[in-house]
Amino acid sequence: MSANMSGSGSAPCRFAHYFVICGIDNETGLEPDALAALYQWPLLSLIPIPFLSAGENFDQSPLKRTFKSKVLAHYPKNIECNPFDQDAVNMLCMPKGLSFRTQRDSRTPQFHSFLITREDGSRTYGFVHTFYEEVTSPQICSAMQTLHQMHQADMDSLASSLDEVESPSSQGGRRSCGCSGEGYDSVRDTLYVSKAMCLITPMPFMHSCKGFLSQVHRAVISHQPPPLPLESYIYNILYEVPLPPPGRSLKFHGVYEPILCQRPGVGELPLADFPLSEAFQLLGVENLVQIFTCVLLEMQILLYSQDYQRLMVVAEGITTLLFPFQWQHVYVPILPASLLHFLDAPVPYLMGLQSKEGTDRSKLELPQEANLCFVDIDNHCIELPEEFPQFPNKTEFIQELSEVLLSFGLSPEGGNTSPDPAVSMQTSTLEKELKSTSLSELVDDRRNGNLGGEALDVLELLQGNPTLERLQALAKRTGVKVARLEALVAGQKAVGEESVGGRSPAEEEELRNAKLNVQLREVFAARFATMFADYESFVIQNSPDLESWLTNREQMHNFDKASFLSDQPEPYLPFLSHFIETQMFATFIDNKIMSQWEEKEPLLRVFDGRIEKARLYNVRAPSLRSSVYQKCTFLKESAQAIEQRLRKIDHTAIHPHLLDMKIGQGKYQQGFFPKLQADVLASGPTNNKWSNRTCSTQRRVDRHRQQNDHLVLDNELKEKYMQEARNLGKNLRQPKLSDLSPAVIAQTNWKFVEGLLKECKMKTKRMLVEKMGREAVELGHGEANITGLEENTLIASLCDLLERIWSHGLQVKQGKSALWSHLLHYQRITLLLLIFCLSSSSFLFRLLRHIQNMGEIKTDVGRARALIRLSLEKKLLSQHLKQLLSNQALTKKLYKRYAFLRCEEEKEQFLFHLLSLNAVDYFCFTSVFTTIMIPYRAVIIPIKKLSNAMTTSNPWLCVSGELGDSGILQITKNVLEMTFDCQNLGKLTTVQLGHDNSGLLAKWLVDCVMVRNEITGHTYKFPCGRWLGKGVDDGSLERVLIGEFVVPCSDDDGGRGTKTPPLQRSPSQIRRIKPTTVQIQESIGEAVNNIIKHFHKPEKERGSLTVLLCGEGGLVWALEQFFHHGFRSARIFQKNVFVWDFYETPEPLDLNCESFCRYVNAINTMPRNIGKDGKFQLLVCLGARDRMLPQWLPLLAECSVITRMYEENALLRDKLTVSSLVAVLETLHDFPITLESSLTKSVEL
């Protein structure tokens, strides 16, 4: 059988696919590795790869330099399901290339693992044992000595050239830094070079592979040759050791000791063999939860450590904890030196970078850091992005994880822990005992787990035949013994019992780690099961078949995000609103929808099973969401399943045995890995029972799939749709390691450009559609499908996208924010042009000065995001960025040719997508930067009639917004315009305008007040149209005016052709058309409904209650219409009559309501002169706040004065109407009405 055929049939069922040896090629000799030198100098990561010469690290001692390694051998040559990628395996086995040592240096073997992610998202795992082997080639030893002599000569020449400019002391210091202690002499020293053994497997059985490779290395360095040639053990693990079936355990034999592995069952959490305890000890619980949150939100995560295995353990540990979600973006736990340019990727990634001993973090310049989570594993510290929502119930979550760790004797704070010396002594003694036991087992073929070929066949035949079983039972009843069968059964039981009892401390430690792993994972899984217990209720499934769903995937909403968020506890919202926008959540929902036509994805099947099981124990209505923390209830059950499998072995693999090998080859030589006989390792056995059995099962599955092919889409069509429907970077989950030509790198960057443009299109479309949907609701159409929290999440996501676009293809990194760095370059150039009068100040230049003057914003990332939000609020984002990019010379200076910002066509489309956002109004700057000081300008516009435009009194005003008020601001007499600085007031709601009634011209007829936010440019108009002065109008000296938002059209604000409908405004005194009774009743109902809707919105989105109470169409205005209906008035000399006149009638109201009289007296006696309409407004507001209006109305309707002051048909005299009005007003009692201080000040109750 050929090598290819050996892999194609049984490879999917084999424990290991390849055994690989990497090291130095004695024929090609020493080849400097320029790419691996980047690991020595991380700062060179920004230098384009083609410009690095092979001698970049020639200033180092030859023993410290990096040289190219090669794959010396791999077995088998290739298998169909997992083609061997020689370049990728070589890079990942020895990421830094070859390293040399002498007898003076430490040569401790090292273990690390890696993975290769294929385009379809599947993974192949590699486990590497690196050791040092003596160099026996005279040519290589001679070459190393020559390199050392050349290096020493260069150092001496450099030192002599510095003699003239340095002091003697510094010269001595310079010479003392030479390499005499690190030198190499071929006569005096013994030279060693690194070599790596690697197992490539389809599943992450880390402990088993580590144990096997360690035993092979022990056989190489042992004084005695191994019991069998190494080929026997390698052949056994490649071809004779199967994957354990789901829910089963397996024992196979290494060189000296048995090795155990187990695989979770169908309903359990998937296999994860990397030790989570190590990840928690390296980082601590709190740090790991923070990193976990960054991964969930799909930020850029860079792991940093000297140890490859630490990088792999942390990366695999975190991604394992994501269940039931999966990381969908670039995933490279160990980043080879040749791929350091991939840190420039403008997409979410999870990558690991090896640090050099003594390297300072501050010197590590990364292409982009605005959205980066930097994890320094060795120093147990992390750097988090600035805008970072916390994981729900974070404190309780950390507490539960800490309890699990403490139950296993581990500290939640983390830190390196050294093993107990006593335990180490016991383990080493035990290893010797196990070695002797294993050697004795080699002699007895009955104890290799198979009872010998014939015996096993007899036992299986007898135990599987019901007729023979009945004969055996009959024989027992008659006293006849079947000795042969009983002996076989007894022998099998004895082997089983032996596997249960007498476990070594090492095996107990493995069991302990496995139980800790699964319990920690269960805690994480339980959090998701709690948060997404009802997610199925919000999945939108509106496609009749899979083909139509895949075709229309991008145009469809698959998940009702707004309803889902409204059903969640308030503390969960900041995190969940971001998380449901991620690609991993979208893929999870896609898999859920596809499960109605196809078999469920394994992770989804397990997760849905968990939710169903939880519902059996805890039935909960979706509307009763609670933020009370619920602990995991599966810890004991999951640990028991692990323990049961490891304590009782289900399967035992065939024991290693002698092969048909050529005599004389592969002779044992201590300390040297032998040259293996390739012919015996090229193919596996043809009569292996488990292989044949598994292959037949596979063939049945293939036939079944072929029969159903006509029922589903063609695989290529389906893959095409899914590629476009899912994440943009799916093809880039891991870059190709086998081809790193400039053309491939350029193609990769082009994919990034296309992905960024598509992402921009999707984000702007989502922002536009959702926002326009909400504004349609304000106009009375449809239902809102976006909340303020969602809106803020989408804008934060846009800020992140812009940072990634500006970080792509940078020539030189400057600061954490690439966008802000570009803006500063633009500002300097503009300033120079202004100095030499070559240009005028642009609006973007002035905006930058505004942002820089905001002392509350401390970082470059914060300033960049502030500018994005401010430009978006001003509807100038596209215009500002276009202006920034108009300086092409600056762009070429800052960015490489392949950068997104230098792709003209894509850049134009990008700016066009941003321009579409001008169609809606955003307050994303005003609502986020709430503590900054903002300059405002207020203009009072009087009605220019006769001399009414002037007044001799001293006017004042007070501006109020959703975030506070300005306080009383005195206005200079006869000056109708003023500017003032005030902490951000948010959206402006009211202006309180008045004067002190001094001088001869104390009466003032005001048309309106205009207030402008000088930073955002938002202008608000506060209509008045009434007098302020005693003896005119209602005698008011001050009025509360309600604002409306207006959008000025100036030269700077070009391209802003849209306008949001105005808010309610101040009610006008002129009422030319009397409303009908039906209109009055409807207006009251509408005013009350608006107040109720106000309180049903999230607290941060409610806006101003004053507008709903006092504005046009508000409660005060509606009740005023009610009291005016049927009101009698003499109207002598056209004198206006006000509602307050009813309460100030000369005849007593003979009310039996002490509270009403108290409120009226308090309003009449207060020092403020707010006029009759103002008093009525205040009375209604106080009555609504204190829930008194339903009590007052019946009493007013029963007064004797009412018959003389109201017509017979007045609504106030209709008892049925009054009672219905009381019922409507009582609905406000369920809500806490809070009044602005501008309304209630000076009122003493």
Side-chain angles (χ1 to χ4, degrees):
M1 181 180 290
S2 68
N4 283 341
M5 290 303 293
S6 70
S8 61
S10 58
C13 324
R14 297 203 311 240
F15 180 87
H17 285 177
Y18 294 100
F19 180 83
V20 186
I21 296 293
C22 296
I24 189 170
D25 187 345
N26 290 329
E27 295 182 0
T28 58
L30 297 178
E31 293 183 66
D33 192 347
L35 296 178
L38 292 176
Y39 266 127
Q40 309 289 338
W41 305 100
L43 290 179
L44 296 177
S45 62
L46 296 178
I47 300 176
I49 289 177
F51 299 104
L52 278 173
S53 68
E56 284 291 346
N57 61 341
F58 273 15
D59 58 334
Q60 289 185 302
S61 166
L63 291 177
K64 300 295 184 182
R65 296 176 192 170
T66 54
F67 298 89
K68 289 183 180 179
S69 63
K70 290 190 176 180
V71 173
L72 303 179
H74 69 278
Y75 310 100
K77 289 297 181 184
N78 199 45
I79 58 176
E80 185 178 347
C81 67
N82 184 14
F84 187 76
D85 189 337
Q86 181 163 311
D87 293 333
V89 172
N90 182 40
M91 282 185 189
L92 294 170
C93 281
M94 309 189 84
K96 289 195 300 182
L98 297 171
S99 62
F100 286 88
R101 298 284 188 273
T102 65
Q103 75 279 1
R104 296 185 300 272
D105 302 315
S106 171
R107 303 187 302 280
T108 305
Q110 299 290 329
F111 173 82
H112 78 271
S113 46
F114 64 83
L115 65 82
I116 298 175
T117 308
R118 291 190 284 269
E119 289 187 1
D120 61 355
S122 59
R123 296 175 178 178
T124 297
Y125 292 85
F127 303 95
V128 185
H129 184 95
T130 305
F131 59 98
Y132 285 88
E133 192 175 79
E134 183 180 344
V135 178
T136 57
S137 169
Q139 292 84 358
I140 292 178
C141 293
S142 174
M144 181 61 69
Q145 177 146 2
T146 301
L147 287 174
H148 174 69
Q149 291 172 350
M150 294 171 60
H151 173 71
Q152 191 63 45
D154 290 341
M155 292 296 101
D156 292 342
S157 175
L158 177 63
S160 62
S161 64
L162 294 175
D163 286 346
E164 299 178 1
V165 294
E166 293 187 351
S167 63
S169 61
S170 63
Q171 292 172 21
R174 171 73 65 178
R175 291 192 181 98
S176 67
C177 295
C179 303
S180 58
E182 299 178 356
Y184 169 70
D185 187 333
S186 60
V187 177
R188 180 191 65 203
D189 297 323
T190 303
L191 186 65
Y192 297 87
V193 67
S194 57
K195 179 173 279 190
M197 298 182 294
C198 172
L199 270 180
I200 295 179
T201 66
M203 300 189 74
F205 291 107
M206 191 207 75
H207 288 98
S208 303
C209 294
K210 182 179 181 181
F212 178 83
L213 293 173
S214 176
Q215 291 187 45
V216 172
H217 181 240
R218 282 168 53 194
V220 170
I221 63 175
S222 174
H223 294 287
Q224 299 294 328
L228 294 172
L230 289 184
E231 287 88 343
S232 295
Y233 304 102
I234 295 170
Y235 181 92
N236 178 252
I237 199 169
L238 284 178
Y239 301 111
E240 297 176 330
V241 178
L243 282 175
R248 301 286 184 170
S249 55
L250 171 73
K251 180 174 79 171
F252 64 94
H253 289 77
V255 181
Y256 302 114
E257 302 160 10
I259 298 172
L260 306 181
C261 63
Q262 61 86 27
R263 187 173 172 186
V266 176
E268 300 178 55
L269 295 176
L271 175 66
D273 205 30
F274 289 87
L276 285 175
S277 58
E278 185 177 343
F280 276 91
Q281 290 301 290
L282 287 170
L283 295 168
V285 177
E286 185 167 0
N287 280 345
L288 196 136
V289 170
Q290 296 283 60
I291 301 167
F292 174 72
T293 309
C294 288
V295 174
L296 285 173
L297 300 179
E298 295 186 341
M299 299 177 177
Q300 294 178 324
I301 295 91
L302 182 62
L303 310 177
Y304 195 61
S305 173
Q306 294 183 39
D307 192 325
Y308 293 128
Q309 185 60 9
R310 286 184 175 183
L311 295 173
M312 191 71 183
V313 165
V314 173
E316 277 293 289
I318 291 174
T319 54
T320 295
L321 298 174
L322 293 177
F323 170 86
F325 308 101
Q326 293 176 288
W327 180 256
Q328 298 292 315
H329 300 277
V330 176
Y331 181 61
V332 191
I334 297 176
L335 188 66
S338 56
L339 292 178
L340 285 181
H341 66 283
F342 221 73
L343 291 172
D344 191 29
V347 294
Y349 61 68
L350 176 51
M351 293 196 268
L353 180 64
Q354 199 215 24
S355 62
K356 185 188 175 186
E357 186 176 359
T359 302
D360 188 0
R361 159 68 181 100
S362 61
K363 296 179 181 179
L364 182 65
E365 291 290 343
L366 300 170
Q368 48 189 327
E369 298 184 46
N371 200 38
L372 178 72
C373 173
F374 184 84
V375 184
D376 190 343
I377 298 175
D378 299 335
N379 294 315
H380 320 292
C381 64
I382 60 176
E383 299 173 17
L384 296 171
E386 292 184 16
E387 294 184 10
F388 183 64
Q390 297 299 321
F391 192 75
N393 296 117
K394 176 187 168 185
T395 303
E396 296 89 345
F397 183 45
I398 290 176
Q399 179 63 31
E400 184 177 9
L401 291 171
S402 301
E403 290 172 3
V404 173
L405 290 171
L406 289 171
S407 68
F408 284 84
L410 299 175
S411 169
E413 286 76 20
N416 291 328
T417 56
S418 56
D420 188 351
V423 175
S424 301
M425 184 76 68
Q426 293 174 8
T427 305
S428 60
T429 306
L430 189 69
E431 286 176 355
K432 294 178 181 177
E433 296 175 358
L434 285 172
K435 179 177 178 180
S436 60
T437 304
S438 299
L439 290 174
S440 64
E441 287 182 0
L442 288 172
V443 182
D444 186 3
D445 193 41
R446 289 180 178 275
R447 303 186 61 185
N448 66 3
N450 293 276
L451 293 175
E454 295 180 3
L456 181 61
D457 292 341
V458 172
L459 181 59
E460 288 182 349
L461 174 64
L462 294 179
Q463 289 183 338
N465 193 313
T467 304
L468 293 178
E469 286 180 357
R470 288 197 296 272
L471 287 174
Q472 182 187 5
L474 179 61
K476 284 186 178 180
R477 288 198 298 272
T478 58
V480 179
K481 294 184 178 180
V482 187
R484 172 66 172 162
L485 178 62
E486 290 181 356
L488 290 174
V489 173
Q492 183 72 1
K493 286 184 177 179
V495 172
E497 290 172 358
E498 184 178 344
S499 67
V500 176
R503 293 180 60 82
S504 68
E507 291 171 334
E508 289 295 336
E509 182 67 18
E510 184 176 346
L511 172 61
R512 176 176 174 274
N513 288 333
K515 290 166 67 175
L516 174 58
N517 255 27
V518 75
Q519 290 195 15
L520 289 170
R521 294 173 65 201
E522 288 288 359
V523 174
F524 281 83
R527 295 308 309 136
F528 288 124
T530 300
M531 286 190 285
F532 296 98
D534 302 306
Y535 84 96
E536 291 181 76
S537 305
F538 305 97
V539 176
I540 302 172
Q541 300 185 357
N542 51 11
S543 295
D545 53 59
L546 178 59
E547 183 175 2
S548 62
W549 180 80
L550 290 172
T551 305
N552 302 303
R553 169 67 184 87
E554 289 191 11
Q555 288 76 34
M556 298 172 65
H557 289 284
N558 293 334
F559 192 75
D560 189 351
K561 297 177 181 178
S563 299
F564 174 77
L565 291 175
S566 66
D567 191 47
Q568 304 306 310
E570 182 95 12
Y572 289 13
L573 295 181
F575 170 80
L576 287 177
S577 61
H578 284 76
F579 178 67
I580 62 177
E581 298 293 335
T582 60
Q583 188 58 48
M584 72 174 71
F585 184 78
T587 303
F588 175 76
I589 298 300
D590 285 349
N591 290 336
K592 180 63 179 177
I593 294 175
M594 291 177 63
S595 66
Q596 62 185 318
W597 301 294
E598 294 185 343
E599 185 180 356
K600 269 190 180 182
E601 194 266 340
L603 296 183
L604 178 64
R605 182 178 62 247
V606 176
F607 186 66
D608 285 350
R610 292 294 177 88
I611 292 176
E612 288 297 328
K613 192 172 183 179
R615 284 174 180 165
L616 294 177
Y617 294 102
N618 180 25
V619 179
R620 175 180 53 76
S623 59
L624 300 179
R625 299 297 293 182
S626 170
S627 60
V628 176
Y629 189 81
Q630 299 178 16
K631 285 192 173 183
C632 177
T633 58
F634 295 101
L635 295 183
K636 188 176 181 181
E637 180 182 338
S638 300
Q640 286 175 346
I642 295 280
E643 185 171 5
Q644 184 176 358
R645 280 196 294 272
L646 288 179
R647 288 196 181 280
K648 184 176 181 181
I649 305 303
D650 297 302
H651 302 282
T652 305
I654 297 173
H655 203 287
H657 51 83
L658 283 172
L659 303 174
D660 185 12
M661 297 171 57
K662 296 177 182 179
I663 299 175
Q665 289 191 12
K667 183 179 178 182
Y668 172 77
Q669 186 178 1
Q670 183 186 359
F672 295 90
F673 193 89
K675 184 176 181 180
L676 302 176
Q677 294 189 25
D679 54 343
V680 299
L681 297 177
S683 61
T686 58
N687 59 348
N688 195 346
K689 289 190 177 71
W690 65 262
S691 176
N692 293 336
R693 188 162 58 243
T694 314
C695 290
S696 62
T697 304
Q698 184 66 32
R699 284 193 292 272
R700 286 197 301 271
V701 172
D702 291 341
R703 283 197 301 271
H704 179 71
R705 184 179 294 115
Q706 290 171 5
Q707 292 168 2
N708 293 329
D709 270 350
H710 67 280
L711 300 177
V712 297
L713 282 175
D714 179 76
N715 285 336
E716 293 183 2
L717 177 62
K718 174 183 172 182
E719 184 63 25
K720 174 188 174 185
Y721 282 128
M722 292 309 296
Q723 285 294 104
E724 296 180 358
R726 293 188 176 172
N727 65 312
L728 302 169
K730 183 172 181 182
N731 286 329
L732 301 168
R733 287 182 177 176
Q734 177 167 303
K736 288 185 72 90
L737 307 180
S738 55
D739 188 357
L740 293 173
S741 63
V744 171
I745 294 175
Q747 184 181 7
T748 301
N749 281 294
W750 180 247
K751 288 183 179 179
F752 284 143
V753 170
E754 289 181 324
L756 288 170
L757 181 61
K758 186 174 182 180
E759 188 178 354
C760 178
K761 176 183 177 182
M762 293 171 62
K763 286 187 186 300
T764 52
K765 179 180 177 181
R766 171 88 192 279
M767 292 173 65
L768 187 62
V769 171
E770 302 284 22
K771 184 69 174 177
M772 290 180 73
R774 190 176 185 186
E775 293 195 347
V777 174
E778 295 174 358
L779 292 172
H781 306 291
E783 295 183 358
N785 56 354
I786 185 172
T787 63
L789 187 66
E790 274 189 285
E791 179 181 310
N792 189 53
T793 301
L794 292 174
I795 292 170
S797 178
L798 177 66
C799 294
D800 168 49
L801 173 64
L802 294 180
E803 279 290 359
R804 287 190 279 121
I805 286 175
W806 255 260
S807 298
H808 183 236
L810 272 174
Q811 294 277 14
V812 180
K813 172 72 169 21
Q814 296 181 356
K816 285 196 171 185
S817 171
L819 174 57
W820 187 251
S821 175
H822 194 169
L823 287 165
L824 292 181
H825 280 288
Y826 169 84
Q827 187 184 38
R828 295 189 193 102
I829 293 174
T830 305
L831 188 60
L832 288 174
L833 294 176
L834 287 173
I835 292 174
F836 293 101
C837 301
L838 299 177
S839 174
S840 59
S841 174
S842 68
F843 197 73
L844 176 59
F845 180 83
R846 297 196 297 272
L847 198 67
L848 278 170
R849 299 298 296 268
H850 274 309
I851 299 295
Q852 289 170 322
N853 290 334
M854 295 179 186
E856 296 83 354
I857 306 175
K858 306 294 184 183
T859 65
D860 288 350
V861 175
R863 294 184 186 99
R865 291 182 176 176
L867 183 130
I868 293 169
R869 288 177 175 272
L870 181 53
S871 298
L872 187 60
E873 186 164 326
K874 294 170 73 67
K875 299 189 178 182
L876 292 171
L877 179 59
S878 178
Q879 183 177 328
H880 284 166
L881 296 183
K882 184 176 183 179
Q883 188 174 350
L884 176 64
L885 297 172
S886 62
N887 190 332
Q888 295 185 0
L890 177 60
T891 306
K892 289 181 179 179
K893 177 184 175 183
L894 296 179
Y895 290 93
K896 300 170 185 174
R897 181 63 191 91
Y898 63 78
F900 181 93
L901 297 178
R902 292 190 61 185
C903 300
E904 293 301 324
E905 185 176 345
E906 284 70 25
K907 182 177 68 176
E908 289 300 320
Q909 293 183 51
F910 157 70
L911 293 172
F912 177 78
H913 291 314
L914 293 182
L915 183 63
S916 66
L917 296 177
N918 290 3
V920 291
D921 292 321
Y922 286 102
F923 290 86
C924 50
F925 178 86
T926 303
S927 60
V928 171
F929 298 94
T930 58
T931 61
I932 63 173
M933 297 299 292
I934 290 181
Y936 292 91
R937 183 159 62 101
V939 179
I940 302 168
I941 302 175
I943 296 177
K944 297 182 178 180
K945 181 180 179 182
L946 300 179
S947 60
N948 299 327
M950 306 296 291
T951 178
T952 57
S953 58
N954 298 303
W956 56 268
L957 64 77
C958 174
V959 182
S960 299
E962 294 178 351
L963 302 178
D965 63 70
S966 64
I968 299 296
L969 301 170
Q970 297 293 334
I971 304 174
T972 305
K973 193 179 298 185
N974 291 325
V975 176
L976 303 178
E977 182 176 339
M978 68 174 299
T979 58
F980 61 94
D981 291 337
C982 180
Q983 184 171 307
N984 186 5
L985 300 176
K987 293 181 184 178
L988 301 186
T989 54
T990 62
V991 161
Q992 194 175 357
L993 179 67
H995 62 80
D996 61 359
N997 200 44
S998 61
L1000 297 176
L1001 299 175
K1003 299 174 183 179
W1004 199 15
L1005 183 59
V1006 177
D1007 178 46
C1008 65
V1009 177
M1010 305 290 291
V1011 181
R1012 174 184 166 89
N1013 182 321
E1014 292 293 89
I1015 290 183
T1016 66
H1018 287 161
T1019 302
Y1020 296 83
K1021 181 179 181 181
F1022 299 85
C1024 178
R1026 300 184 67 173
W1027 287 90
L1028 283 84
K1030 286 189 176 181
V1032 63
D1033 206 331
D1034 66 343
S1036 175
L1037 293 182
E1038 61 181 83
R1039 296 193 184 278
V1040 176
L1041 309 179
I1042 308 300
E1044 60 181 59
F1045 177 63
V1046 294
V1047 182
C1049 293
S1050 63
D1051 294 338
D1052 285 333
D1053 298 337
R1056 298 168 57 169
T1058 59
K1059 177 178 176 181
T1060 299
L1063 303 170
Q1064 293 102 322
R1065 51 186 173 182
S1066 307
S1068 172
Q1069 179 198 5
I1070 302 173
R1071 304 177 184 90
R1072 299 173 187 255
I1073 302 175
K1074 291 185 177 181
T1076 64
T1077 56
V1078 175
Q1079 291 174 334
I1080 292 173
Q1081 290 173 337
E1082 287 179 351
S1083 64
I1084 295 175
E1086 186 67 25
V1088 172
N1089 281 338
N1090 287 336
I1091 295 173
I1092 294 174
K1093 289 178 182 178
H1094 167 88
F1095 285 102
H1096 277 88
K1097 294 179 182 178
E1099 187 172 355
K1100 294 180 180 180
E1101 302 173 30
R1102 290 176 181 174
S1104 172
L1105 185 60
T1106 304
V1107 173
L1108 300 179
L1109 290 172
C1110 307
E1112 183 99 25
L1115 183 63
V1116 173
W1117 180 86
L1119 288 178
E1120 189 176 6
Q1121 300 299 315
F1122 176 82
F1123 281 102
H1124 265 293
H1125 186 264
F1127 194 66
R1128 292 176 177 173
S1129 60
R1131 293 194 177 274
I1132 302 175
F1133 305 113
Q1134 297 296 317
K1135 179 182 179 182
N1136 289 322
V1137 180
F1138 300 91
V1139 175
W1140 193 256
D1141 293 331
F1142 173 57
Y1143 306 129
E1144 291 187 334
T1145 177
E1147 302 181 32
L1149 295 176
D1150 63 325
L1151 294 177
N1152 294 322
C1153 184
E1154 181 183 351
S1155 64
F1156 180 81
C1157 298
R1158 183 162 55 88
Y1159 276 74
V1160 172
N1161 291 334
I1163 292 172
N1164 280 327
T1165 57
M1166 70 177 183
R1168 294 169 58 195
N1169 195 330
I1170 59 177
K1172 295 179 179 180
D1173 278 348
K1175 291 178 180 180
F1176 175 75
Q1177 174 179 276
L1178 181 55
L1179 180 67
V1180 172
C1181 291
L1182 293 174
R1185 183 193 69 180
D1186 299 337
R1187 301 177 174 88
M1188 304 299 296
L1189 290 179
Q1191 296 180 27
W1192 295 343
L1193 278 176
L1195 296 174
L1196 291 171
E1198 294 172 1
C1199 291
S1200 59
V1201 181
I1202 196 172
T1203 57
R1204 292 190 295 274
M1205 299 192 69
Y1206 279 89
E1207 303 286 350
E1208 185 69 29
N1209 62 344
L1211 289 175
L1212 192 56
R1213 296 184 62 176
D1214 186 345
K1215 292 184 179 180
L1216 184 61
T1217 302
V1218 172
S1219 62
S1220 64
L1221 177 58
V1222 168
V1224 170
L1225 293 174
E1226 283 178 344
T1227 59
L1228 298 177
H1229 289 185
D1230 297 331
F1231 307 103
I1233 294 177
T1234 304
L1235 303 178
E1236 288 186 13
S1237 59
S1238 60
L1239 294 174
T1240 60
K1241 63 182 178 183
S1242 303
V1243 179
E1244 296 182 2
L1245 292 171

